[in-house]
Amino acid sequence: MSDLIERSLQRVLALQVRLYACQARLGGFTDAEALHDLRITLRQLRSLLRPMRGLATVDALEQAAAVLGRLTGPLRDREVLMAELERMGLSRLLAFDQEAHAGAFAAVASSRELAELIALLDSWPVAWREAARRGQLRSVSKRIQRRLRRQQAQLAQALRDPAHDRHRLRLLIKRVRYAGETYPLQSGLDRAALARLKRAQSALGDWHDHLQWLAQS
């Protein structure tokens, strides 16, 4: 088994452990960062899997992570708004209380979407090793490199377009950044480039938050 195939397996297992921890924290409503950490874990899992789409065992796992990400997106938007209102001393304007928030966290922890993702993660190592044994993962590094370069080309094209869609641009930047952090050798991006992507993502993230708040108000 190649180093890349083995490292991918180890990364997925590490992310699975983090996912279990996030599930416990959400169910117990232990801290304010549980949902955020869950979504970061999902993002890292998808960044690992997305460039390998089409390979055996990958697609179902990546899709399950995407479904859970969409489920938790509105709750995260609400969480960010709660923190901002509290920071401004305007918590009286909150249309929801801590009890409702805890209930929403618990619902995510016990959701069918999370249970399905965990079940896929449980069975994934055996399937991944079997795919490697059968030769289905040949040239995986070249496949990843081609797809990351394609993502970078899409981002470069979007940046040159003065009428670019900010939602799509934010998504492209996130994909290129997280893929670059996950696959530094295949992406060809250095630390300076990743730092610039992180700053751009942060700026567009602030824009996205304000847009969400305006829509809710």
Side-chain angles (χ1 to χ4, degrees):
M1 188 179 295
S2 73
D3 289 344
L4 178 60
I5 293 172
E6 186 61 33
R7 284 199 305 272
S8 298
L9 176 58
Q10 292 171 0
R11 287 174 182 170
V12 170
L13 291 174
L15 291 170
Q16 182 180 11
V17 171
R18 286 175 51 187
L19 194 65
Y20 280 129
C22 290
Q23 182 184 33
R25 290 161 61 196
L26 286 167
F29 198 55
T30 61
D31 62 276
E33 294 298 314
L35 181 67
H36 184 50
D37 289 347
L38 172 73
R39 288 178 56 78
I40 289 175
T41 303
L42 292 174
R43 191 179 303 134
Q44 291 174 341
L45 178 60
R46 295 190 67 198
S47 296
L48 177 68
L49 297 173
R50 186 182 290 111
M52 297 189 288
R53 279 178 177 172
L55 291 176
T57 78
V58 167
D59 290 354
L61 186 55
E62 197 273 335
Q63 290 167 12
V67 168
L68 187 58
R70 288 193 292 271
L71 174 71
T72 56
L75 182 57
R76 175 58 183 167
D77 287 339
R78 189 177 82 175
E79 187 176 51
V80 172
L81 174 58
M82 288 175 63
E84 180 66 10
L85 289 175
E86 289 173 355
R87 185 188 69 82
M88 298 176 67
L90 299 173
S91 55
R92 66 184 183 280
L93 299 179
L94 291 173
F96 28 81
D97 56 24
Q98 287 294 98
E99 184 176 352
H101 201 52
F105 273 31
V108 171
S110 60
S111 67
R112 173 181 55 83
E113 291 83 356
L114 180 53
E116 289 179 354
L117 176 58
I118 288 175
L120 286 169
L121 285 166
D122 285 342
S123 62
W124 193 78
V126 173
W128 184 245
R129 285 197 169 100
E130 179 62 17
R133 188 186 67 80
R134 293 184 178 185
Q136 296 172 348
L137 306 181
R138 291 194 185 100
S139 304
V140 65
S141 181
K142 291 181 179 178
R143 175 193 288 258
I144 292 170
Q145 187 174 26
R146 284 196 304 271
R147 294 195 172 179
L148 296 192
R149 295 298 167 85
R150 192 181 307 148
Q151 285 182 1
Q152 293 170 20
Q154 290 173 343
L155 175 57
Q157 183 179 9
L159 289 170
R160 288 193 294 268
D161 181 4
H164 62 251
D165 177 78
R166 288 190 179 187
H167 288 290
R168 179 172 181 271
L169 182 60
R170 177 170 170 261
L171 177 62
L172 289 172
I173 288 173
K174 287 170 66 175
R175 284 182 178 176
V176 170
R177 178 199 162 194
Y178 292 122
E181 292 176 348
T182 303
Y183 296 107
L185 294 178
Q186 288 78 14
S187 72
L189 298 176
D190 58 21
R191 290 183 179 180
L194 290 173
R196 288 193 292 271
L197 288 169
K198 184 176 181 179
R199 290 195 297 271
Q201 181 184 334
S202 178
L204 286 169
D206 290 343
W207 167 81
H208 170 80
D209 289 341
H210 284 83
L211 195 66
Q212 294 296 316
W213 300 341
L214 284 170
Q216 292 187 49
S217 65

